[in-house]
Amino acid sequence: MLFKSQRHPLQNDYLMFITTNMEKRKPVFSEPACARIAVETLYGIQQFYPFFLYGFVIMPNHIHLLLRVPDGGSVSKTIGVYKRAVTFNIGRGPLWQRRFHMRIPHDPLGALRYIHMNPVKAGLCSSPEEYPWSSASGRWDVMELVTF
């Protein structure tokens, strides 16, 4: 389903499936206030580091994003700024593992399904729409995913 790793030079203007984990897998985002900060910060940094967001889920100890950074931007810089901003906004740290995983999905709709089903598979809800910290909930504005 996925190929190309984080160290690949192709980062910009490609749809990317990104996963980043909390340090020592601490369930920081099991606290609703922290999960809300993680989502709101995602939208807040878009003003300064533009990207197209197609889907996301904030799990207790990791996050998944499906996004595209336009040419001229940097996925690494965007994710770095995001992680620092979440840490600052929550007011404690360190929160994150140092690196993140980035792949170009062969099947973008399959990647989005995987993201949305993550809380169901973890037993946090019975359907993706029930999980508040996901783009599947319909509470958050994301781009419609069309096949590329």
Side-chain angles (χ1 to χ4, degrees):
M1 175 173 117
L2 305 169
F3 71 102
K4 302 223 191 280
S5 69
Q6 182 172 342
R7 293 185 177 257
H8 197 280
L10 297 176
Q11 286 192 27
N12 304 332
D13 219 22
Y14 285 89
L15 186 66
M16 294 288 177
F17 176 72
I18 296 168
T19 301
T20 189
N21 298 309
M22 307 313 294
E23 185 179 65
K24 298 179 183 175
R25 295 290 217 159
K26 293 178 188 168
V28 173
F29 299 129
S30 61
E31 298 174 43
C34 292
R36 176 174 290 284
I37 287 170
V39 174
E40 290 174 351
T41 302
L42 188 60
Y43 288 98
I45 67 163
Q46 267 187 314
Q47 298 171 35
F48 305 101
Y49 298 89
F51 59 89
F52 300 99
L53 183 62
Y54 297 95
F56 69 89
V57 66
I58 309 296
M59 297 294 289
N61 62 7
H62 67 281
I63 66 168
H64 295 296
L65 306 169
L66 191 62
L67 58 79
R68 182 172 58 85
V69 174
D71 210 17
S74 164
V75 173
S76 295
K77 182 151 185 110
T78 300
I79 298 303
V81 166
Y82 171 71
K83 288 165 69 169
R84 284 188 300 277
V86 169
T87 300
F88 178 81
N89 291 339
I90 288 177
R92 60 183 149 158
L95 293 181
W96 304 94
Q97 286 183 0
R98 293 184 76 156
R99 301 188 59 82
F100 65 93
H101 301 282
M102 173 175 72
R103 296 168 292 281
I104 299 172
H106 282 294
D107 176 11
L109 291 173
L112 186 60
R113 257 188 314 276
Y114 176 86
I115 288 168
H116 288 163
M117 288 302 294
N118 216 241
V120 175
K121 289 180 182 176
L124 300 173
C125 57
S126 57
S127 75
E129 299 79 16
E130 293 174 8
Y131 193 69
W133 316 118
S134 167
S135 53
S137 72
R139 300 175 186 185
W140 311 101
D141 187 28
V142 291
M143 303 286 294
E144 182 178 344
L145 184 62
V146 293
T147 56
F148 286 79

